[in-house]
PDB file of all heavy atoms in Angstrom:
ATOM      1  N   GLY A 140     -12.181  10.566 -32.043  1.00  0.00           N
ATOM      2  CA  GLY A 140     -11.838   9.197 -31.662  1.00  0.00           C
ATOM      3  C   GLY A 140     -11.339   9.075 -30.252  1.00  0.00           C
ATOM      4  O   GLY A 140     -11.770   9.818 -29.368  1.00  0.00           O
ATOM      5  N   MET A 141     -10.409   8.187 -30.049  1.00  0.00           N
ATOM      6  CA  MET A 141      -9.923   7.885 -28.688  1.00  0.00           C
ATOM      7  C   MET A 141      -9.065   9.008 -28.129  1.00  0.00           C
ATOM      8  O   MET A 141      -8.930   9.122 -26.918  1.00  0.00           O
ATOM      9  CB  MET A 141      -9.127   6.597 -28.720  1.00  0.00           C
ATOM     10  CG  MET A 141      -9.611   5.471 -27.808  1.00  0.00           C
ATOM     11  SD  MET A 141     -11.009   5.716 -26.772  1.00  0.00           S
ATOM     12  CE  MET A 141     -10.255   6.001 -25.216  1.00  0.00           C
ATOM     13  N   LYS A 142      -8.480   9.828 -28.975  1.00  0.00           N
ATOM     14  CA  LYS A 142      -7.701  10.967 -28.452  1.00  0.00           C
ATOM     15  C   LYS A 142      -8.622  11.965 -27.745  1.00  0.00           C
ATOM     16  O   LYS A 142      -8.305  12.458 -26.660  1.00  0.00           O
ATOM     17  CB  LYS A 142      -6.943  11.663 -29.606  1.00  0.00           C
ATOM     18  CG  LYS A 142      -5.870  10.828 -30.266  1.00  0.00           C
ATOM     19  CD  LYS A 142      -5.102  11.650 -31.278  1.00  0.00           C
ATOM     20  CE  LYS A 142      -4.074  10.824 -31.960  1.00  0.00           C
ATOM     21  NZ  LYS A 142      -4.724   9.815 -32.838  1.00  0.00           N
ATOM     22  N   PHE A 143      -9.808  12.198 -28.346  1.00  0.00           N
ATOM     23  CA  PHE A 143     -10.806  13.026 -27.642  1.00  0.00           C
ATOM     24  C   PHE A 143     -11.286  12.311 -26.383  1.00  0.00           C
ATOM     25  O   PHE A 143     -11.505  12.900 -25.336  1.00  0.00           O
ATOM     26  CB  PHE A 143     -11.993  13.332 -28.567  1.00  0.00           C
ATOM     27  CG  PHE A 143     -13.160  13.981 -27.866  1.00  0.00           C
ATOM     28  CD1 PHE A 143     -13.105  15.319 -27.555  1.00  0.00           C
ATOM     29  CD2 PHE A 143     -14.242  13.212 -27.499  1.00  0.00           C
ATOM     30  CE1 PHE A 143     -14.185  15.923 -26.907  1.00  0.00           C
ATOM     31  CE2 PHE A 143     -15.305  13.817 -26.829  1.00  0.00           C
ATOM     32  CZ  PHE A 143     -15.285  15.187 -26.529  1.00  0.00           C
ATOM     33  N   GLY A 144     -11.450  10.967 -26.492  1.00  0.00           N
ATOM     34  CA  GLY A 144     -11.879  10.152 -25.369  1.00  0.00           C
ATOM     35  C   GLY A 144     -10.911  10.249 -24.195  1.00  0.00           C
ATOM     36  O   GLY A 144     -11.338  10.268 -23.029  1.00  0.00           O
ATOM     37  N   MET A 145      -9.600  10.355 -24.456  1.00  0.00           N
ATOM     38  CA  MET A 145      -8.605  10.456 -23.397  1.00  0.00           C
ATOM     39  C   MET A 145      -8.786  11.775 -22.652  1.00  0.00           C
ATOM     40  O   MET A 145      -8.694  11.827 -21.429  1.00  0.00           O
ATOM     41  CB  MET A 145      -7.235  10.294 -23.947  1.00  0.00           C
ATOM     42  CG  MET A 145      -6.888   8.888 -24.478  1.00  0.00           C
ATOM     43  SD  MET A 145      -5.327   8.774 -25.286  1.00  0.00           S
ATOM     44  CE  MET A 145      -4.221   8.868 -23.872  1.00  0.00           C
ATOM     45  N   PHE A 146      -9.008  12.867 -23.360  1.00  0.00           N
ATOM     46  CA  PHE A 146      -9.265  14.137 -22.684  1.00  0.00           C
ATOM     47  C   PHE A 146     -10.541  14.038 -21.865  1.00  0.00           C
ATOM     48  O   PHE A 146     -10.617  14.548 -20.731  1.00  0.00           O
ATOM     49  CB  PHE A 146      -9.444  15.247 -23.721  1.00  0.00           C
ATOM     50  CG  PHE A 146      -8.140  15.840 -24.224  1.00  0.00           C
ATOM     51  CD1 PHE A 146      -7.838  15.816 -25.560  1.00  0.00           C
ATOM     52  CD2 PHE A 146      -7.253  16.397 -23.335  1.00  0.00           C
ATOM     53  CE1 PHE A 146      -6.661  16.350 -26.040  1.00  0.00           C
ATOM     54  CE2 PHE A 146      -6.029  16.932 -23.768  1.00  0.00           C
ATOM     55  CZ  PHE A 146      -5.762  16.901 -25.136  1.00  0.00           C
ATOM     56  N   PHE A 147     -11.559  13.383 -22.413  1.00  0.00           N
ATOM     57  CA  PHE A 147     -12.859  13.260 -21.763  1.00  0.00           C
ATOM     58  C   PHE A 147     -12.759  12.457 -20.470  1.00  0.00           C
ATOM     59  O   PHE A 147     -13.258  12.860 -19.424  1.00  0.00           O
ATOM     60  CB  PHE A 147     -13.838  12.603 -22.735  1.00  0.00           C
ATOM     61  CG  PHE A 147     -15.269  12.719 -22.319  1.00  0.00           C
ATOM     62  CD1 PHE A 147     -15.940  13.932 -22.299  1.00  0.00           C
ATOM     63  CD2 PHE A 147     -16.018  11.583 -21.982  1.00  0.00           C
ATOM     64  CE1 PHE A 147     -17.263  14.057 -21.959  1.00  0.00           C
ATOM     65  CE2 PHE A 147     -17.330  11.691 -21.618  1.00  0.00           C
ATOM     66  CZ  PHE A 147     -17.947  12.919 -21.605  1.00  0.00           C
ATOM     67  N   ILE A 148     -12.067  11.332 -20.550  1.00  0.00           N
ATOM     68  CA  ILE A 148     -11.926  10.465 -19.360  1.00  0.00           C
ATOM     69  C   ILE A 148     -10.997  11.103 -18.353  1.00  0.00           C
ATOM     70  O   ILE A 148     -11.227  10.995 -17.147  1.00  0.00           O
ATOM     71  CB  ILE A 148     -11.404   9.074 -19.780  1.00  0.00           C
ATOM     72  CG1 ILE A 148     -12.430   8.336 -20.640  1.00  0.00           C
ATOM     73  CG2 ILE A 148     -11.031   8.210 -18.569  1.00  0.00           C
ATOM     74  CD1 ILE A 148     -11.954   7.071 -21.235  1.00  0.00           C
ATOM     75  N   ALA A 149      -9.952  11.817 -18.810  1.00  0.00           N
ATOM     76  CA  ALA A 149      -9.064  12.496 -17.877  1.00  0.00           C
ATOM     77  C   ALA A 149      -9.798  13.554 -17.079  1.00  0.00           C
ATOM     78  O   ALA A 149      -9.475  13.760 -15.921  1.00  0.00           O
ATOM     79  CB  ALA A 149      -7.905  13.124 -18.644  1.00  0.00           C
ATOM     80  N   GLU A 150     -10.807  14.184 -17.665  1.00  0.00           N
ATOM     81  CA  GLU A 150     -11.600  15.199 -16.941  1.00  0.00           C
ATOM     82  C   GLU A 150     -12.332  14.557 -15.773  1.00  0.00           C
ATOM     83  O   GLU A 150     -12.348  15.063 -14.659  1.00  0.00           O
ATOM     84  CB  GLU A 150     -12.555  15.886 -17.878  1.00  0.00           C
ATOM     85  CG  GLU A 150     -13.443  16.886 -17.166  1.00  0.00           C
ATOM     86  CD  GLU A 150     -14.445  17.520 -18.110  1.00  0.00           C
ATOM     87  OE1 GLU A 150     -14.035  17.913 -19.214  1.00  0.00           O
ATOM     88  OE2 GLU A 150     -15.641  17.674 -17.703  1.00  0.00           O
ATOM     89  N   TYR A 151     -12.940  13.420 -16.043  1.00  0.00           N
ATOM     90  CA  TYR A 151     -13.705  12.744 -14.979  1.00  0.00           C
ATOM     91  C   TYR A 151     -12.794  12.128 -13.985  1.00  0.00           C
ATOM     92  O   TYR A 151     -13.087  12.137 -12.737  1.00  0.00           O
ATOM     93  CB  TYR A 151     -14.613  11.639 -15.618  1.00  0.00           C
ATOM     94  CG  TYR A 151     -15.847  12.202 -16.228  1.00  0.00           C
ATOM     95  CD1 TYR A 151     -15.893  12.487 -17.581  1.00  0.00           C
ATOM     96  CD2 TYR A 151     -16.971  12.468 -15.477  1.00  0.00           C
ATOM     97  CE1 TYR A 151     -17.020  13.061 -18.167  1.00  0.00           C
ATOM     98  CE2 TYR A 151     -18.096  13.024 -16.031  1.00  0.00           C
ATOM     99  CZ  TYR A 151     -18.158  13.316 -17.400  1.00  0.00           C
ATOM    100  OH  TYR A 151     -19.248  13.852 -17.953  1.00  0.00           O
ATOM    101  N   ALA A 152     -11.636  11.622 -14.395  1.00  0.00           N
ATOM    102  CA  ALA A 152     -10.637  11.151 -13.389  1.00  0.00           C
ATOM    103  C   ALA A 152     -10.146  12.272 -12.584  1.00  0.00           C
ATOM    104  O   ALA A 152      -9.856  12.120 -11.366  1.00  0.00           O
ATOM    105  CB  ALA A 152      -9.463  10.461 -14.125  1.00  0.00           C
ATOM    106  N   GLY A 153     -10.032  13.475 -13.127  1.00  0.00           N
ATOM    107  CA  GLY A 153      -9.618  14.682 -12.398  1.00  0.00           C
ATOM    108  C   GLY A 153     -10.645  15.058 -11.329  1.00  0.00           C
ATOM    109  O   GLY A 153     -10.279  15.491 -10.240  1.00  0.00           O
ATOM    110  N   ILE A 154     -11.935  14.860 -11.643  1.00  0.00           N
ATOM    111  CA  ILE A 154     -12.973  15.145 -10.631  1.00  0.00           C
ATOM    112  C   ILE A 154     -12.807  14.164  -9.457  1.00  0.00           C
ATOM    113  O   ILE A 154     -12.884  14.593  -8.257  1.00  0.00           O
ATOM    114  CB  ILE A 154     -14.361  14.933 -11.260  1.00  0.00           C
ATOM    115  CG1 ILE A 154     -14.602  15.960 -12.363  1.00  0.00           C
ATOM    116  CG2 ILE A 154     -15.468  15.026 -10.187  1.00  0.00           C
ATOM    117  CD1 ILE A 154     -15.860  15.693 -13.134  1.00  0.00           C
ATOM    118  N   VAL A 155     -12.553  12.906  -9.728  1.00  0.00           N
ATOM    119  CA  VAL A 155     -12.347  11.926  -8.633  1.00  0.00           C
ATOM    120  C   VAL A 155     -11.104  12.304  -7.843  1.00  0.00           C
ATOM    121  O   VAL A 155     -11.083  12.170  -6.601  1.00  0.00           O
ATOM    122  CB  VAL A 155     -12.244  10.504  -9.196  1.00  0.00           C
ATOM    123  CG1 VAL A 155     -12.009   9.486  -8.080  1.00  0.00           C
ATOM    124  CG2 VAL A 155     -13.525  10.132  -9.970  1.00  0.00           C
ATOM    125  N   LEU A 156     -10.048  12.771  -8.533  1.00  0.00           N
ATOM    126  CA  LEU A 156      -8.801  13.100  -7.842  1.00  0.00           C
ATOM    127  C   LEU A 156      -9.039  14.279  -6.880  1.00  0.00           C
ATOM    128  O   LEU A 156      -8.612  14.210  -5.721  1.00  0.00           O
ATOM    129  CB  LEU A 156      -7.734  13.465  -8.882  1.00  0.00           C
ATOM    130  CG  LEU A 156      -6.414  13.989  -8.334  1.00  0.00           C
ATOM    131  CD1 LEU A 156      -5.730  12.959  -7.477  1.00  0.00           C
ATOM    132  CD2 LEU A 156      -5.467  14.469  -9.451  1.00  0.00           C
ATOM    133  N   VAL A 157      -9.639  15.342  -7.371  1.00  0.00           N
ATOM    134  CA  VAL A 157      -9.895  16.528  -6.485  1.00  0.00           C
ATOM    135  C   VAL A 157     -10.824  16.146  -5.348  1.00  0.00           C
ATOM    136  O   VAL A 157     -10.610  16.554  -4.222  1.00  0.00           O
ATOM    137  CB  VAL A 157     -10.451  17.683  -7.340  1.00  0.00           C
ATOM    138  CG1 VAL A 157     -10.845  18.858  -6.412  1.00  0.00           C
ATOM    139  CG2 VAL A 157      -9.427  18.154  -8.357  1.00  0.00           C
ATOM    140  N   SER A 158     -11.810  15.316  -5.630  1.00  0.00           N
ATOM    141  CA  SER A 158     -12.744  14.871  -4.575  1.00  0.00           C
ATOM    142  C   SER A 158     -11.978  14.038  -3.509  1.00  0.00           C
ATOM    143  O   SER A 158     -12.231  14.157  -2.308  1.00  0.00           O
ATOM    144  CB  SER A 158     -13.904  14.067  -5.162  1.00  0.00           C
ATOM    145  OG  SER A 158     -14.621  14.829  -6.056  1.00  0.00           O
ATOM    146  N   SER A 159     -11.082  13.192  -3.945  1.00  0.00           N
ATOM    147  CA  SER A 159     -10.263  12.384  -3.076  1.00  0.00           C
ATOM    148  C   SER A 159      -9.346  13.262  -2.209  1.00  0.00           C
ATOM    149  O   SER A 159      -9.172  13.008  -1.026  1.00  0.00           O
ATOM    150  CB  SER A 159      -9.436  11.378  -3.841  1.00  0.00           C
ATOM    151  OG  SER A 159     -10.233  10.510  -4.602  1.00  0.00           O
ATOM    152  N   LEU A 160      -8.818  14.312  -2.818  1.00  0.00           N
ATOM    153  CA  LEU A 160      -7.955  15.241  -2.092  1.00  0.00           C
ATOM    154  C   LEU A 160      -8.738  16.017  -1.003  1.00  0.00           C
ATOM    155  O   LEU A 160      -8.275  16.201   0.105  1.00  0.00           O
ATOM    156  CB  LEU A 160      -7.303  16.224  -3.043  1.00  0.00           C
ATOM    157  CG  LEU A 160      -6.047  15.738  -3.797  1.00  0.00           C
ATOM    158  CD1 LEU A 160      -5.572  16.785  -4.767  1.00  0.00           C
ATOM    159  CD2 LEU A 160      -4.962  15.398  -2.820  1.00  0.00           C
ATOM    160  N   VAL A 161      -9.959  16.466  -1.378  1.00  0.00           N
ATOM    161  CA  VAL A 161     -10.828  17.121  -0.414  1.00  0.00           C
ATOM    162  C   VAL A 161     -11.097  16.194   0.773  1.00  0.00           C
ATOM    163  O   VAL A 161     -11.022  16.610   1.966  1.00  0.00           O
ATOM    164  CB  VAL A 161     -12.132  17.607  -1.051  1.00  0.00           C
ATOM    165  CG1 VAL A 161     -13.100  18.116   0.003  1.00  0.00           C
ATOM    166  CG2 VAL A 161     -11.828  18.717  -2.029  1.00  0.00           C
ATOM    167  N   THR A 162     -11.408  14.941   0.454  1.00  0.00           N
ATOM    168  CA  THR A 162     -11.680  13.963   1.493  1.00  0.00           C
ATOM    169  C   THR A 162     -10.456  13.757   2.409  1.00  0.00           C
ATOM    170  O   THR A 162     -10.558  13.711   3.630  1.00  0.00           O
ATOM    171  CB  THR A 162     -12.074  12.593   0.864  1.00  0.00           C
ATOM    172  OG1 THR A 162     -13.262  12.781   0.141  1.00  0.00           O
ATOM    173  CG2 THR A 162     -12.268  11.526   1.948  1.00  0.00           C
ATOM    174  N   THR A 163      -9.302  13.620   1.794  1.00  0.00           N
ATOM    175  CA  THR A 163      -8.062  13.369   2.542  1.00  0.00           C
ATOM    176  C   THR A 163      -7.614  14.567   3.373  1.00  0.00           C
ATOM    177  O   THR A 163      -7.229  14.418   4.539  1.00  0.00           O
ATOM    178  CB  THR A 163      -6.919  12.941   1.586  1.00  0.00           C
ATOM    179  OG1 THR A 163      -7.298  11.813   0.830  1.00  0.00           O
ATOM    180  CG2 THR A 163      -5.644  12.639   2.326  1.00  0.00           C
ATOM    181  N   LEU A 164      -7.712  15.749   2.799  1.00  0.00           N
ATOM    182  CA  LEU A 164      -7.126  16.947   3.444  1.00  0.00           C
ATOM    183  C   LEU A 164      -8.072  17.618   4.406  1.00  0.00           C
ATOM    184  O   LEU A 164      -7.636  18.246   5.386  1.00  0.00           O
ATOM    185  CB  LEU A 164      -6.714  17.940   2.370  1.00  0.00           C
ATOM    186  CG  LEU A 164      -5.659  17.460   1.364  1.00  0.00           C
ATOM    187  CD1 LEU A 164      -5.470  18.498   0.251  1.00  0.00           C
ATOM    188  CD2 LEU A 164      -4.316  17.244   2.065  1.00  0.00           C
ATOM    189  N   TYR A 165      -9.405  17.541   4.177  1.00  0.00           N
ATOM    190  CA  TYR A 165     -10.334  18.286   4.956  1.00  0.00           C
ATOM    191  C   TYR A 165     -11.423  17.472   5.652  1.00  0.00           C
ATOM    192  O   TYR A 165     -12.047  17.978   6.584  1.00  0.00           O
ATOM    193  CB  TYR A 165     -11.014  19.368   4.090  1.00  0.00           C
ATOM    194  CG  TYR A 165     -10.044  20.423   3.560  1.00  0.00           C
ATOM    195  CD1 TYR A 165      -9.557  20.337   2.259  1.00  0.00           C
ATOM    196  CD2 TYR A 165      -9.606  21.455   4.364  1.00  0.00           C
ATOM    197  CE1 TYR A 165      -8.674  21.307   1.761  1.00  0.00           C
ATOM    198  CE2 TYR A 165      -8.735  22.420   3.885  1.00  0.00           C
ATOM    199  CZ  TYR A 165      -8.272  22.312   2.604  1.00  0.00           C
ATOM    200  OH  TYR A 165      -7.381  23.265   2.133  1.00  0.00           O
ATOM    201  N   LEU A 166     -11.706  16.265   5.110  1.00  0.00           N
ATOM    202  CA  LEU A 166     -12.837  15.510   5.658  1.00  0.00           C
ATOM    203  C   LEU A 166     -12.381  14.267   6.453  1.00  0.00           C
ATOM    204  O   LEU A 166     -13.166  13.327   6.604  1.00  0.00           O
ATOM    205  CB  LEU A 166     -13.764  15.101   4.534  1.00  0.00           C
ATOM    206  CG  LEU A 166     -14.373  16.241   3.706  1.00  0.00           C
ATOM    207  CD1 LEU A 166     -15.284  15.685   2.633  1.00  0.00           C
ATOM    208  CD2 LEU A 166     -15.160  17.212   4.643  1.00  0.00           C
ATOM    209  N   GLY A 167     -11.148  14.246   6.901  1.00  0.00           N
ATOM    210  CA  GLY A 167     -10.724  13.174   7.759  1.00  0.00           C
ATOM    211  C   GLY A 167     -10.327  11.891   7.049  1.00  0.00           C
ATOM    212  O   GLY A 167     -10.070  10.863   7.712  1.00  0.00           O
ATOM    213  N   GLY A 168     -10.282  11.898   5.698  1.00  0.00           N
ATOM    214  CA  GLY A 168      -9.847  10.697   4.986  1.00  0.00           C
ATOM    215  C   GLY A 168     -10.702   9.509   5.256  1.00  0.00           C
ATOM    216  O   GLY A 168     -11.920   9.569   5.131  1.00  0.00           O
ATOM    217  N   TRP A 169     -10.043   8.413   5.662  1.00  0.00           N
ATOM    218  CA  TRP A 169     -10.788   7.169   5.875  1.00  0.00           C
ATOM    219  C   TRP A 169     -11.418   7.085   7.261  1.00  0.00           C
ATOM    220  O   TRP A 169     -12.040   6.115   7.615  1.00  0.00           O
ATOM    221  CB  TRP A 169      -9.800   5.997   5.685  1.00  0.00           C
ATOM    222  CG  TRP A 169      -8.683   6.021   6.703  1.00  0.00           C
ATOM    223  CD1 TRP A 169      -8.730   5.651   8.014  1.00  0.00           C
ATOM    224  CD2 TRP A 169      -7.359   6.469   6.467  1.00  0.00           C
ATOM    225  NE1 TRP A 169      -7.503   5.813   8.589  1.00  0.00           N
ATOM    226  CE2 TRP A 169      -6.636   6.331   7.683  1.00  0.00           C
ATOM    227  CE3 TRP A 169      -6.665   6.977   5.357  1.00  0.00           C
ATOM    228  CZ2 TRP A 169      -5.304   6.678   7.796  1.00  0.00           C
ATOM    229  CZ3 TRP A 169      -5.335   7.317   5.473  1.00  0.00           C
ATOM    230  CH2 TRP A 169      -4.698   7.153   6.715  1.00  0.00           C
ATOM    231  N   ARG A 170     -11.292   8.122   8.085  1.00  0.00           N
ATOM    232  CA  ARG A 170     -11.769   8.094   9.444  1.00  0.00           C
ATOM    233  C   ARG A 170     -13.299   8.206   9.491  1.00  0.00           C
ATOM    234  O   ARG A 170     -13.903   9.006   8.789  1.00  0.00           O
ATOM    235  CB  ARG A 170     -11.165   9.205  10.274  1.00  0.00           C
ATOM    236  CG  ARG A 170      -9.668   9.061  10.462  1.00  0.00           C
ATOM    237  CD  ARG A 170      -9.108  10.093  11.396  1.00  0.00           C
ATOM    238  NE  ARG A 170      -7.683   9.830  11.704  1.00  0.00           N
ATOM    239  CZ  ARG A 170      -7.312   8.938  12.619  1.00  0.00           C
ATOM    240  NH1 ARG A 170      -8.233   8.278  13.337  1.00  0.00           N
ATOM    241  NH2 ARG A 170      -6.045   8.725  12.814  1.00  0.00           N
ATOM    242  N   GLY A 171     -13.885   7.431  10.424  1.00  0.00           N
ATOM    243  CA  GLY A 171     -15.328   7.447  10.617  1.00  0.00           C
ATOM    244  C   GLY A 171     -15.772   6.255  11.503  1.00  0.00           C
ATOM    245  O   GLY A 171     -15.056   5.252  11.579  1.00  0.00           O
ATOM    246  N   PRO A 172     -16.907   6.407  12.153  1.00  0.00           N
ATOM    247  CA  PRO A 172     -17.336   5.310  13.070  1.00  0.00           C
ATOM    248  C   PRO A 172     -18.010   4.173  12.359  1.00  0.00           C
ATOM    249  O   PRO A 172     -18.531   4.320  11.255  1.00  0.00           O
ATOM    250  CB  PRO A 172     -18.345   6.077  13.978  1.00  0.00           C
ATOM    251  CG  PRO A 172     -18.902   7.121  13.101  1.00  0.00           C
ATOM    252  CD  PRO A 172     -17.794   7.564  12.190  1.00  0.00           C
TER     253      PRO A 172
END
């Protein structure tokens, strides 16, 4: 049920979190022309 769904969604949210951190820490964050 939804308890499994919470683990499932948290995994995908974790992917977005790590990708956001990579962007912020190594790829200049919001900077760009």
Side-chain angles (χ1 to χ4, degrees):
M141 238 359 258
K142 293 186 185 67
F143 172 78
M145 291 175 73
F146 278 122
F147 194 67
I148 293 173
E150 177 182 316
Y151 282 94
I154 296 172
V155 179
L156 174 63
V157 174
S158 300
S159 301
L160 279 176
V161 170
T162 297
T163 303
L164 299 172
Y165 295 101
L166 300 180
W169 62 78
R170 294 187 172 277

